[in-house]
């Protein structure tokens, strides 16, 4: 019986250490600068692999949809912005996007992409202090 108690205590301790390691690793991997942004400019938004190759063949996820009438506008989670991408009709500022929220369809995707900041939110995330990517 004494060996059984030691074994149970050891298993409990190992489980605690493992859980403690997982909990400690979670916050270390998260960026404090990530920002969730809903589409707010009336534009649909493409998600591109390369912010300098803007065509349908370069899309890595379905278009994000702005839908003011049904309150189901899509959104993105971004971690930084860049001004090194293609210049479109409103400049060259792009969001490095980590997650695409397809609220109109009820799901999200975790695909790294670039989204055109002026079409996402008029660059509000940049003005709110989102960090610069430096790439």
């Amino acid at each position: 019986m004494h060996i059984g108690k030691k074994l149970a205590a050891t298993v409990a301790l190992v489980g605690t250490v493992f859980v403690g390691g997982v909990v400690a690793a979670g916050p270390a991997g998260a960026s404090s600068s990530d920002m969730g942004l809903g589409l707010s400019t009336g534009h649909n938004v493409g998600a591109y692999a390369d912010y300098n190759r803007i065509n349908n063949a370069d899309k890595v996820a379905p278009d994000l949809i702005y839908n003011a009438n049904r309150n189901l506008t899509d959104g993105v989670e971004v971690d930084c912005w860049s001004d090194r991408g293609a210049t479109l009709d409103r400049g060259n500022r792009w969001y490095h996007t980590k997650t695409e929220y397809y609220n109109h369809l009820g799901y999200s995707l975790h695909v790294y992409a670039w989204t055109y900041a002026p079409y996402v939110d008029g660059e509000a995330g940049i003005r709110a202090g989102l960090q610069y990517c430096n790439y």
Side-chain angles (χ1 to χ4, degrees), residues 24-105:
S31 172
S32 62
S33 66
D34 290 0
M35 189 177 291
L37 304 169
L39 274 57
S40 61
T41 64
H43 286 274
N44 295 340
V45 175
Y48 300 93
D50 183 336
Y51 55 27
N52 283 304
R53 290 182 30 215
I54 310 308
N55 58 56
N56 285 335
D58 195 44
K59 288 183 179 179
V60 294
D63 286 351
L64 296 141
I65 305 298
Y66 175 83
N67 187 340
N69 296 331
R70 294 179 31 203
N71 197 24
L72 294 174
T73 296
D74 294 345
V76 293
E77 180 182 357
V78 300
D79 60 0
C80 61
W81 67 277
S82 180
D83 58 0
R84 298 181 185 181
T87 299
L88 302 182
D89 65 328
R90 295 186 183 178
N92 65 342
R93 290 178 181 80
W94 292 82
Y95 288 133
H96 185 245
T97 303
K98 298 170 51 172
T99 305
E100 300 79 22
Y101 296 100
Y102 296 95
N103 297 324
H104 76 283
L105 297 173

